[in-house]
Amino acid sequence: GQNIDQPTEMTATEGAIVQINCTYQTSGFNGLFWYQQHAGEAPTFLSYNVLDGLEEKGRFSSFLSRSKGYSYLLLKELQMKDSASYLCAVRDSNYQLIWGAGTKLIIKP
Amino acid sequence: NAGVTQTPKFRILKIGQSMTLQCTQDMNHNYMYWYRQDPGMGLKLIYYSVGAGITDKGEVPNGYNVSRSTTEDFPLRLELAAPSQTSVYFCASSYSEESYEQYFGPGTRLTVT
């Protein structure tokens, strides 16, 4: 079967750095996505990885290792507005997105 | 551009009732999707469409129907509502299946009692 695992909840301090991990087992791989979802709102796109390595976009970076079926999202200089759920999704061989359950990130002052 | 719009925002249905969730996008995207999101679970694909007149089942299509008569609109029909269909429903669109990003509507929160 297809499976994506990520921690249910994480807590971090404002101004700090946090790493959210995602491991996956899917039938085929055509890219890995990270989305941000604030409570009661729609998911919004953060990052995309299809090749191994690190993609940096401002305070957010995403890493991929295809051989390990592993990705992480790194958030630096945390702000209170970063309190949200972070969803990991993999595009499978049918070009459909398989979604993890999301990691709820709580930022404390 | 309004992006992806959905109506209604909230709805309470009785068991056995029917309703249509509306979804419209103004980005001229070919691909449109319907997802449901249950608490503590990942988004599940219900149906998707690759263009006007073409639809296909996703992971959880039972109890739902869709149509795509225009590029802009992709309504989702619930024929005989059941408590198991209580969920938040998101419509999304993308230009192609290789697109980096899917654009999501604000969601419809549906309760079936």
PDB file of all heavy atoms in Angstrom, chain B residues 13 16-21 34 36 45-47 57-66 75-86 89 110 112:
ATOM      1  N   LEU B  13     -26.753  18.503   6.591  1.00  0.00           N
ATOM      2  CA  LEU B  13     -27.703  17.671   5.851  1.00  0.00           C
ATOM      3  C   LEU B  13     -28.265  16.594   6.757  1.00  0.00           C
ATOM      4  O   LEU B  13     -27.569  16.118   7.673  1.00  0.00           O
ATOM      5  CB  LEU B  13     -27.005  16.950   4.685  1.00  0.00           C
ATOM      6  CG  LEU B  13     -26.746  17.667   3.372  1.00  0.00           C
ATOM      7  CD1 LEU B  13     -26.108  16.710   2.377  1.00  0.00           C
ATOM      8  CD2 LEU B  13     -28.030  18.239   2.794  1.00  0.00           C
ATOM      9  N   GLY B  16     -29.784  10.814   4.042  1.00  0.00           N
ATOM     10  CA  GLY B  16     -30.628  10.539   2.887  1.00  0.00           C
ATOM     11  C   GLY B  16     -30.871  11.725   1.975  1.00  0.00           C
ATOM     12  O   GLY B  16     -31.338  11.555   0.844  1.00  0.00           O
ATOM     13  N   GLN B  17     -30.564  12.946   2.446  1.00  0.00           N
ATOM     14  CA  GLN B  17     -30.727  14.120   1.595  1.00  0.00           C
ATOM     15  C   GLN B  17     -29.623  14.169   0.543  1.00  0.00           C
ATOM     16  O   GLN B  17     -28.592  13.493   0.664  1.00  0.00           O
ATOM     17  CB  GLN B  17     -30.711  15.404   2.437  1.00  0.00           C
ATOM     18  CG  GLN B  17     -31.970  15.623   3.246  1.00  0.00           C
ATOM     19  CD  GLN B  17     -31.959  16.946   3.970  1.00  0.00           C
ATOM     20  OE1 GLN B  17     -30.933  17.420   4.461  1.00  0.00           O
ATOM     21  NE2 GLN B  17     -33.128  17.580   4.040  1.00  0.00           N
ATOM     22  N   SER B  18     -29.851  14.993  -0.457  1.00  0.00           N
ATOM     23  CA  SER B  18     -28.874  15.175  -1.529  1.00  0.00           C
ATOM     24  C   SER B  18     -28.451  16.632  -1.590  1.00  0.00           C
ATOM     25  O   SER B  18     -29.186  17.521  -1.150  1.00  0.00           O
ATOM     26  CB  SER B  18     -29.472  14.770  -2.873  1.00  0.00           C
ATOM     27  OG  SER B  18     -29.880  13.428  -2.861  1.00  0.00           O
ATOM     28  N   MET B  19     -27.272  16.862  -2.144  1.00  0.00           N
ATOM     29  CA  MET B  19     -26.826  18.243  -2.349  1.00  0.00           C
ATOM     30  C   MET B  19     -25.679  18.258  -3.349  1.00  0.00           C
ATOM     31  O   MET B  19     -25.053  17.219  -3.627  1.00  0.00           O
ATOM     32  CB  MET B  19     -26.385  18.900  -1.045  1.00  0.00           C
ATOM     33  CG  MET B  19     -25.014  18.495  -0.544  1.00  0.00           C
ATOM     34  SD  MET B  19     -24.358  19.607   0.721  1.00  0.00           S
ATOM     35  CE  MET B  19     -24.115  21.116  -0.204  1.00  0.00           C
ATOM     36  N   THR B  20     -25.451  19.447  -3.874  1.00  0.00           N
ATOM     37  CA  THR B  20     -24.338  19.655  -4.790  1.00  0.00           C
ATOM     38  C   THR B  20     -23.398  20.703  -4.216  1.00  0.00           C
ATOM     39  O   THR B  20     -23.839  21.788  -3.822  1.00  0.00           O
ATOM     40  CB  THR B  20     -24.838  20.121  -6.172  1.00  0.00           C
ATOM     41  OG1 THR B  20     -25.681  19.106  -6.729  1.00  0.00           O
ATOM     42  CG2 THR B  20     -23.657  20.370  -7.108  1.00  0.00           C
ATOM     43  N   LEU B  21     -22.127  20.366  -4.147  1.00  0.00           N
ATOM     44  CA  LEU B  21     -21.093  21.311  -3.762  1.00  0.00           C
ATOM     45  C   LEU B  21     -20.543  21.940  -5.043  1.00  0.00           C
ATOM     46  O   LEU B  21     -20.142  21.231  -5.967  1.00  0.00           O
ATOM     47  CB  LEU B  21     -19.958  20.615  -3.017  1.00  0.00           C
ATOM     48  CG  LEU B  21     -20.179  20.248  -1.540  1.00  0.00           C
ATOM     49  CD1 LEU B  21     -21.248  19.181  -1.406  1.00  0.00           C
ATOM     50  CD2 LEU B  21     -18.882  19.776  -0.915  1.00  0.00           C
ATOM     51  N   TRP B  34     -11.433  17.002  -6.453  1.00  0.00           N
ATOM     52  CA  TRP B  34     -12.199  17.078  -5.222  1.00  0.00           C
ATOM     53  C   TRP B  34     -11.534  16.193  -4.185  1.00  0.00           C
ATOM     54  O   TRP B  34     -11.275  15.008  -4.437  1.00  0.00           O
ATOM     55  CB  TRP B  34     -13.645  16.620  -5.426  1.00  0.00           C
ATOM     56  CG  TRP B  34     -14.552  17.693  -5.901  1.00  0.00           C
ATOM     57  CD1 TRP B  34     -15.067  17.857  -7.148  1.00  0.00           C
ATOM     58  CD2 TRP B  34     -15.074  18.775  -5.107  1.00  0.00           C
ATOM     59  NE1 TRP B  34     -15.866  18.964  -7.184  1.00  0.00           N
ATOM     60  CE2 TRP B  34     -15.898  19.548  -5.944  1.00  0.00           C
ATOM     61  CE3 TRP B  34     -14.935  19.157  -3.767  1.00  0.00           C
ATOM     62  CZ2 TRP B  34     -16.566  20.684  -5.501  1.00  0.00           C
ATOM     63  CZ3 TRP B  34     -15.598  20.276  -3.337  1.00  0.00           C
ATOM     64  CH2 TRP B  34     -16.405  21.034  -4.197  1.00  0.00           C
ATOM     65  N   ARG B  36     -11.544  15.209   0.203  1.00  0.00           N
ATOM     66  CA  ARG B  36     -12.158  15.341   1.509  1.00  0.00           C
ATOM     67  C   ARG B  36     -11.058  15.234   2.560  1.00  0.00           C
ATOM     68  O   ARG B  36     -10.051  14.517   2.366  1.00  0.00           O
ATOM     69  CB  ARG B  36     -13.241  14.295   1.751  1.00  0.00           C
ATOM     70  CG  ARG B  36     -12.819  12.859   1.655  1.00  0.00           C
ATOM     71  CD  ARG B  36     -13.984  11.908   2.003  1.00  0.00           C
ATOM     72  NE  ARG B  36     -14.311  11.954   3.429  1.00  0.00           N
ATOM     73  CZ  ARG B  36     -15.382  11.364   3.949  1.00  0.00           C
ATOM     74  NH1 ARG B  36     -16.240  10.699   3.180  1.00  0.00           N
ATOM     75  NH2 ARG B  36     -15.608  11.425   5.247  1.00  0.00           N
ATOM     76  N   LEU B  45      -8.432  11.865  -2.280  1.00  0.00           N
ATOM     77  CA  LEU B  45      -8.961  12.272  -3.578  1.00  0.00           C
ATOM     78  C   LEU B  45     -10.261  11.533  -3.866  1.00  0.00           C
ATOM     79  O   LEU B  45     -10.298  10.296  -3.826  1.00  0.00           O
ATOM     80  CB  LEU B  45      -7.936  11.993  -4.672  1.00  0.00           C
ATOM     81  CG  LEU B  45      -8.307  12.411  -6.081  1.00  0.00           C
ATOM     82  CD1 LEU B  45      -8.444  13.935  -6.183  1.00  0.00           C
ATOM     83  CD2 LEU B  45      -7.277  11.907  -7.083  1.00  0.00           C
ATOM     84  N   ILE B  46     -11.324  12.299  -4.172  1.00  0.00           N
ATOM     85  CA  ILE B  46     -12.622  11.703  -4.457  1.00  0.00           C
ATOM     86  C   ILE B  46     -12.787  11.477  -5.961  1.00  0.00           C
ATOM     87  O   ILE B  46     -13.027  10.365  -6.424  1.00  0.00           O
ATOM     88  CB  ILE B  46     -13.757  12.607  -3.941  1.00  0.00           C
ATOM     89  CG1 ILE B  46     -13.589  12.914  -2.462  1.00  0.00           C
ATOM     90  CG2 ILE B  46     -15.119  11.949  -4.190  1.00  0.00           C
ATOM     91  CD1 ILE B  46     -14.541  13.987  -1.947  1.00  0.00           C
ATOM     92  N   TYR B  47     -12.684  12.547  -6.714  1.00  0.00           N
ATOM     93  CA  TYR B  47     -12.758  12.525  -8.162  1.00  0.00           C
ATOM     94  C   TYR B  47     -11.819  13.599  -8.710  1.00  0.00           C
ATOM     95  O   TYR B  47     -11.497  14.556  -8.024  1.00  0.00           O
ATOM     96  CB  TYR B  47     -14.176  12.838  -8.655  1.00  0.00           C
ATOM     97  CG  TYR B  47     -15.108  11.667  -8.813  1.00  0.00           C
ATOM     98  CD1 TYR B  47     -15.972  11.312  -7.779  1.00  0.00           C
ATOM     99  CD2 TYR B  47     -15.129  10.922  -9.983  1.00  0.00           C
ATOM    100  CE1 TYR B  47     -16.829  10.238  -7.919  1.00  0.00           C
ATOM    101  CE2 TYR B  47     -15.995   9.841 -10.130  1.00  0.00           C
ATOM    102  CZ  TYR B  47     -16.839   9.506  -9.097  1.00  0.00           C
ATOM    103  OH  TYR B  47     -17.701   8.435  -9.238  1.00  0.00           O
ATOM    104  N   LYS B  57     -12.366   8.511 -11.306  1.00  0.00           N
ATOM    105  CA  LYS B  57     -12.445   8.262  -9.881  1.00  0.00           C
ATOM    106  C   LYS B  57     -11.088   8.396  -9.225  1.00  0.00           C
ATOM    107  O   LYS B  57     -10.062   8.041  -9.805  1.00  0.00           O
ATOM    108  CB  LYS B  57     -12.989   6.844  -9.635  1.00  0.00           C
ATOM    109  CG  LYS B  57     -14.401   6.635 -10.121  1.00  0.00           C
ATOM    110  CD  LYS B  57     -14.847   5.196  -9.901  1.00  0.00           C
ATOM    111  CE  LYS B  57     -16.260   4.993 -10.409  1.00  0.00           C
ATOM    112  NZ  LYS B  57     -16.712   3.590 -10.233  1.00  0.00           N
ATOM    113  N   GLY B  58     -11.126   8.872  -7.991  1.00  0.00           N
ATOM    114  CA  GLY B  58      -9.943   8.904  -7.164  1.00  0.00           C
ATOM    115  C   GLY B  58      -9.949   7.756  -6.183  1.00  0.00           C
ATOM    116  O   GLY B  58     -10.481   6.673  -6.472  1.00  0.00           O
ATOM    117  N   GLU B  59      -9.439   7.989  -5.001  1.00  0.00           N
ATOM    118  CA  GLU B  59      -9.282   6.934  -3.998  1.00  0.00           C
ATOM    119  C   GLU B  59     -10.593   6.582  -3.299  1.00  0.00           C
ATOM    120  O   GLU B  59     -10.827   5.430  -2.953  1.00  0.00           O
ATOM    121  CB  GLU B  59      -8.253   7.395  -2.956  1.00  0.00           C
ATOM    122  CG  GLU B  59      -7.882   6.369  -1.913  1.00  0.00           C
ATOM    123  CD  GLU B  59      -6.876   6.918  -0.906  1.00  0.00           C
ATOM    124  OE1 GLU B  59      -6.423   8.078  -1.070  1.00  0.00           O
ATOM    125  OE2 GLU B  59      -6.552   6.197   0.049  1.00  0.00           O
ATOM    126  N   VAL B  60     -11.486   7.578  -3.093  1.00  0.00           N
ATOM    127  CA  VAL B  60     -12.702   7.356  -2.304  1.00  0.00           C
ATOM    128  C   VAL B  60     -13.941   7.883  -3.029  1.00  0.00           C
ATOM    129  O   VAL B  60     -14.627   8.796  -2.544  1.00  0.00           O
ATOM    130  CB  VAL B  60     -12.578   7.985  -0.892  1.00  0.00           C
ATOM    131  CG1 VAL B  60     -11.580   7.229  -0.050  1.00  0.00           C
ATOM    132  CG2 VAL B  60     -12.184   9.469  -0.990  1.00  0.00           C
ATOM    133  N   PRO B  61     -14.341   7.334  -4.187  1.00  0.00           N
ATOM    134  CA  PRO B  61     -15.442   7.906  -4.972  1.00  0.00           C
ATOM    135  C   PRO B  61     -16.845   7.474  -4.561  1.00  0.00           C
ATOM    136  O   PRO B  61     -17.826   8.108  -4.980  1.00  0.00           O
ATOM    137  CB  PRO B  61     -15.137   7.373  -6.375  1.00  0.00           C
ATOM    138  CG  PRO B  61     -14.504   6.038  -6.124  1.00  0.00           C
ATOM    139  CD  PRO B  61     -13.691   6.215  -4.854  1.00  0.00           C
ATOM    140  N   ASN B  62     -16.966   6.427  -3.737  1.00  0.00           N
ATOM    141  CA  ASN B  62     -18.300   5.877  -3.442  1.00  0.00           C
ATOM    142  C   ASN B  62     -19.174   6.892  -2.726  1.00  0.00           C
ATOM    143  O   ASN B  62     -18.773   7.489  -1.731  1.00  0.00           O
ATOM    144  CB  ASN B  62     -18.171   4.610  -2.601  1.00  0.00           C
ATOM    145  CG  ASN B  62     -17.572   3.467  -3.394  1.00  0.00           C
ATOM    146  OD1 ASN B  62     -17.488   3.530  -4.623  1.00  0.00           O
ATOM    147  ND2 ASN B  62     -17.134   2.437  -2.703  1.00  0.00           N
ATOM    148  N   GLY B  63     -20.385   7.065  -3.231  1.00  0.00           N
ATOM    149  CA  GLY B  63     -21.345   7.985  -2.637  1.00  0.00           C
ATOM    150  C   GLY B  63     -21.314   9.366  -3.256  1.00  0.00           C
ATOM    151  O   GLY B  63     -22.080  10.248  -2.839  1.00  0.00           O
ATOM    152  N   TYR B  64     -20.475   9.552  -4.261  1.00  0.00           N
ATOM    153  CA  TYR B  64     -20.314  10.856  -4.907  1.00  0.00           C
ATOM    154  C   TYR B  64     -20.401  10.722  -6.420  1.00  0.00           C
ATOM    155  O   TYR B  64     -20.134   9.660  -6.971  1.00  0.00           O
ATOM    156  CB  TYR B  64     -18.952  11.470  -4.559  1.00  0.00           C
ATOM    157  CG  TYR B  64     -18.629  11.543  -3.096  1.00  0.00           C
ATOM    158  CD1 TYR B  64     -17.901  10.531  -2.467  1.00  0.00           C
ATOM    159  CD2 TYR B  64     -19.040  12.634  -2.323  1.00  0.00           C
ATOM    160  CE1 TYR B  64     -17.602  10.596  -1.120  1.00  0.00           C
ATOM    161  CE2 TYR B  64     -18.737  12.708  -0.972  1.00  0.00           C
ATOM    162  CZ  TYR B  64     -18.016  11.678  -0.376  1.00  0.00           C
ATOM    163  OH  TYR B  64     -17.717  11.744   0.961  1.00  0.00           O
ATOM    164  N   ASN B  65     -20.770  11.826  -7.058  1.00  0.00           N
ATOM    165  CA  ASN B  65     -20.720  11.914  -8.507  1.00  0.00           C
ATOM    166  C   ASN B  65     -20.239  13.291  -8.912  1.00  0.00           C
ATOM    167  O   ASN B  65     -20.420  14.261  -8.161  1.00  0.00           O
ATOM    168  CB  ASN B  65     -22.101  11.663  -9.127  1.00  0.00           C
ATOM    169  CG  ASN B  65     -22.375  10.185  -9.302  1.00  0.00           C
ATOM    170  OD1 ASN B  65     -21.629   9.495  -9.986  1.00  0.00           O
ATOM    171  ND2 ASN B  65     -23.423   9.711  -8.671  1.00  0.00           N
ATOM    172  N   VAL B  66     -19.638  13.386 -10.081  1.00  0.00           N
ATOM    173  CA  VAL B  66     -19.163  14.674 -10.584  1.00  0.00           C
ATOM    174  C   VAL B  66     -19.523  14.816 -12.055  1.00  0.00           C
ATOM    175  O   VAL B  66     -19.876  13.845 -12.729  1.00  0.00           O
ATOM    176  CB  VAL B  66     -17.628  14.826 -10.434  1.00  0.00           C
ATOM    177  CG1 VAL B  66     -17.214  14.891  -8.981  1.00  0.00           C
ATOM    178  CG2 VAL B  66     -16.898  13.705 -11.176  1.00  0.00           C
ATOM    179  N   PRO B  75     -18.718  20.600 -10.278  1.00  0.00           N
ATOM    180  CA  PRO B  75     -19.572  20.329  -9.106  1.00  0.00           C
ATOM    181  C   PRO B  75     -19.465  18.890  -8.616  1.00  0.00           C
ATOM    182  O   PRO B  75     -19.259  17.964  -9.403  1.00  0.00           O
ATOM    183  CB  PRO B  75     -20.978  20.635  -9.644  1.00  0.00           C
ATOM    184  CG  PRO B  75     -20.887  20.408 -11.121  1.00  0.00           C
ATOM    185  CD  PRO B  75     -19.492  20.776 -11.520  1.00  0.00           C
ATOM    186  N   LEU B  76     -19.639  18.733  -7.310  1.00  0.00           N
ATOM    187  CA  LEU B  76     -19.620  17.417  -6.662  1.00  0.00           C
ATOM    188  C   LEU B  76     -21.005  17.148  -6.105  1.00  0.00           C
ATOM    189  O   LEU B  76     -21.538  17.944  -5.346  1.00  0.00           O
ATOM    190  CB  LEU B  76     -18.590  17.395  -5.527  1.00  0.00           C
ATOM    191  CG  LEU B  76     -18.487  16.106  -4.710  1.00  0.00           C
ATOM    192  CD1 LEU B  76     -17.835  15.008  -5.537  1.00  0.00           C
ATOM    193  CD2 LEU B  76     -17.700  16.353  -3.421  1.00  0.00           C
ATOM    194  N   ARG B  77     -21.573  16.007  -6.449  1.00  0.00           N
ATOM    195  CA  ARG B  77     -22.932  15.667  -6.044  1.00  0.00           C
ATOM    196  C   ARG B  77     -22.906  14.550  -5.006  1.00  0.00           C
ATOM    197  O   ARG B  77     -22.243  13.523  -5.205  1.00  0.00           O
ATOM    198  CB  ARG B  77     -23.717  15.219  -7.281  1.00  0.00           C
ATOM    199  CG  ARG B  77     -25.136  14.782  -7.024  1.00  0.00           C
ATOM    200  CD  ARG B  77     -26.061  15.957  -7.030  1.00  0.00           C
ATOM    201  NE  ARG B  77     -27.455  15.529  -6.809  1.00  0.00           N
ATOM    202  CZ  ARG B  77     -28.399  16.332  -6.342  1.00  0.00           C
ATOM    203  NH1 ARG B  77     -28.117  17.599  -6.034  1.00  0.00           N
ATOM    204  NH2 ARG B  77     -29.634  15.895  -6.194  1.00  0.00           N
ATOM    205  N   LEU B  78     -23.642  14.777  -3.905  1.00  0.00           N
ATOM    206  CA  LEU B  78     -23.880  13.722  -2.918  1.00  0.00           C
ATOM    207  C   LEU B  78     -25.336  13.322  -3.069  1.00  0.00           C
ATOM    208  O   LEU B  78     -26.237  14.160  -2.907  1.00  0.00           O
ATOM    209  CB  LEU B  78     -23.658  14.218  -1.492  1.00  0.00           C
ATOM    210  CG  LEU B  78     -22.238  14.356  -0.976  1.00  0.00           C
ATOM    211  CD1 LEU B  78     -21.514  15.507  -1.633  1.00  0.00           C
ATOM    212  CD2 LEU B  78     -22.265  14.526   0.541  1.00  0.00           C
ATOM    213  N   GLU B  79     -25.605  12.065  -3.404  1.00  0.00           N
ATOM    214  CA  GLU B  79     -26.968  11.662  -3.704  1.00  0.00           C
ATOM    215  C   GLU B  79     -27.759  11.271  -2.459  1.00  0.00           C
ATOM    216  O   GLU B  79     -28.867  11.717  -2.253  1.00  0.00           O
ATOM    217  CB  GLU B  79     -26.971  10.495  -4.693  1.00  0.00           C
ATOM    218  CG  GLU B  79     -26.570  10.880  -6.096  1.00  0.00           C
ATOM    219  CD  GLU B  79     -27.564  11.839  -6.760  1.00  0.00           C
ATOM    220  OE1 GLU B  79     -28.692  12.022  -6.253  1.00  0.00           O
ATOM    221  OE2 GLU B  79     -27.201  12.431  -7.794  1.00  0.00           O
ATOM    222  N   LEU B  80     -27.224  10.436  -1.618  1.00  0.00           N
ATOM    223  CA  LEU B  80     -27.912   9.954  -0.404  1.00  0.00           C
ATOM    224  C   LEU B  80     -26.936  10.131   0.752  1.00  0.00           C
ATOM    225  O   LEU B  80     -26.118   9.275   1.024  1.00  0.00           O
ATOM    226  CB  LEU B  80     -28.302   8.480  -0.552  1.00  0.00           C
ATOM    227  CG  LEU B  80     -29.415   8.163  -1.550  1.00  0.00           C
ATOM    228  CD1 LEU B  80     -29.525   6.654  -1.774  1.00  0.00           C
ATOM    229  CD2 LEU B  80     -30.751   8.724  -1.051  1.00  0.00           C
ATOM    230  N   ALA B  81     -27.027  11.292   1.391  1.00  0.00           N
ATOM    231  CA  ALA B  81     -26.017  11.631   2.388  1.00  0.00           C
ATOM    232  C   ALA B  81     -26.011  10.624   3.547  1.00  0.00           C
ATOM    233  O   ALA B  81     -27.072  10.186   4.019  1.00  0.00           O
ATOM    234  CB  ALA B  81     -26.262  13.030   2.925  1.00  0.00           C
ATOM    235  N   ALA B  82     -24.808  10.290   4.007  1.00  0.00           N
ATOM    236  CA  ALA B  82     -24.605   9.384   5.126  1.00  0.00           C
ATOM    237  C   ALA B  82     -23.682  10.048   6.134  1.00  0.00           C
ATOM    238  O   ALA B  82     -22.862  10.905   5.751  1.00  0.00           O
ATOM    239  CB  ALA B  82     -23.990   8.075   4.645  1.00  0.00           C
ATOM    240  N   PRO B  83     -23.786   9.691   7.418  1.00  0.00           N
ATOM    241  CA  PRO B  83     -22.903  10.300   8.436  1.00  0.00           C
ATOM    242  C   PRO B  83     -21.421  10.171   8.090  1.00  0.00           C
ATOM    243  O   PRO B  83     -20.624  11.049   8.449  1.00  0.00           O
ATOM    244  CB  PRO B  83     -23.264   9.520   9.703  1.00  0.00           C
ATOM    245  CG  PRO B  83     -24.675   9.100   9.494  1.00  0.00           C
ATOM    246  CD  PRO B  83     -24.781   8.786   8.026  1.00  0.00           C
ATOM    247  N   SER B  84     -21.040   9.108   7.372  1.00  0.00           N
ATOM    248  CA  SER B  84     -19.631   8.919   6.993  1.00  0.00           C
ATOM    249  C   SER B  84     -19.132   9.987   6.025  1.00  0.00           C
ATOM    250  O   SER B  84     -17.925  10.113   5.801  1.00  0.00           O
ATOM    251  CB  SER B  84     -19.437   7.537   6.361  1.00  0.00           C
ATOM    252  OG  SER B  84     -20.224   7.428   5.179  1.00  0.00           O
ATOM    253  N   GLN B  85     -20.048  10.754   5.455  1.00  0.00           N
ATOM    254  CA  GLN B  85     -19.669  11.826   4.529  1.00  0.00           C
ATOM    255  C   GLN B  85     -19.475  13.168   5.242  1.00  0.00           C
ATOM    256  O   GLN B  85     -19.183  14.174   4.591  1.00  0.00           O
ATOM    257  CB  GLN B  85     -20.694  11.955   3.415  1.00  0.00           C
ATOM    258  CG  GLN B  85     -20.696  10.735   2.491  1.00  0.00           C
ATOM    259  CD  GLN B  85     -21.751  10.808   1.417  1.00  0.00           C
ATOM    260  OE1 GLN B  85     -22.944  10.992   1.697  1.00  0.00           O
ATOM    261  NE2 GLN B  85     -21.328  10.655   0.170  1.00  0.00           N
ATOM    262  N   THR B  86     -19.633  13.178   6.544  1.00  0.00           N
ATOM    263  CA  THR B  86     -19.293  14.359   7.331  1.00  0.00           C
ATOM    264  C   THR B  86     -17.804  14.612   7.197  1.00  0.00           C
ATOM    265  O   THR B  86     -16.986  13.754   7.530  1.00  0.00           O
ATOM    266  CB  THR B  86     -19.675  14.159   8.806  1.00  0.00           C
ATOM    267  OG1 THR B  86     -21.090  14.063   8.911  1.00  0.00           O
ATOM    268  CG2 THR B  86     -19.158  15.314   9.660  1.00  0.00           C
ATOM    269  N   TYR B  89     -14.667  19.437   2.580  1.00  0.00           N
ATOM    270  CA  TYR B  89     -14.437  19.144   1.172  1.00  0.00           C
ATOM    271  C   TYR B  89     -13.688  20.305   0.523  1.00  0.00           C
ATOM    272  O   TYR B  89     -14.099  21.459   0.621  1.00  0.00           O
ATOM    273  CB  TYR B  89     -15.766  18.914   0.463  1.00  0.00           C
ATOM    274  CG  TYR B  89     -16.439  17.648   0.905  1.00  0.00           C
ATOM    275  CD1 TYR B  89     -17.225  17.614   2.052  1.00  0.00           C
ATOM    276  CD2 TYR B  89     -16.261  16.464   0.190  1.00  0.00           C
ATOM    277  CE1 TYR B  89     -17.819  16.439   2.469  1.00  0.00           C
ATOM    278  CE2 TYR B  89     -16.857  15.282   0.603  1.00  0.00           C
ATOM    279  CZ  TYR B  89     -17.632  15.280   1.744  1.00  0.00           C
ATOM    280  OH  TYR B  89     -18.213  14.111   2.157  1.00  0.00           O
ATOM    281  N   LEU B 110     -19.138  20.098   5.767  1.00  0.00           N
ATOM    282  CA  LEU B 110     -20.418  19.405   5.675  1.00  0.00           C
ATOM    283  C   LEU B 110     -20.616  18.490   6.872  1.00  0.00           C
ATOM    284  O   LEU B 110     -19.726  17.711   7.222  1.00  0.00           O
ATOM    285  CB  LEU B 110     -20.476  18.573   4.391  1.00  0.00           C
ATOM    286  CG  LEU B 110     -21.730  17.710   4.201  1.00  0.00           C
ATOM    287  CD1 LEU B 110     -22.946  18.599   3.991  1.00  0.00           C
ATOM    288  CD2 LEU B 110     -21.560  16.755   3.023  1.00  0.00           C
ATOM    289  N   VAL B 112     -23.425  15.651   8.306  1.00  0.00           N
ATOM    290  CA  VAL B 112     -24.598  14.826   8.009  1.00  0.00           C
ATOM    291  C   VAL B 112     -25.067  14.195   9.313  1.00  0.00           C
ATOM    292  O   VAL B 112     -24.327  13.487   9.984  1.00  0.00           O
ATOM    293  CB  VAL B 112     -24.283  13.727   6.984  1.00  0.00           C
ATOM    294  CG1 VAL B 112     -25.549  12.923   6.659  1.00  0.00           C
ATOM    295  CG2 VAL B 112     -23.709  14.330   5.712  1.00  0.00           C
TER     296      VAL B 112
END
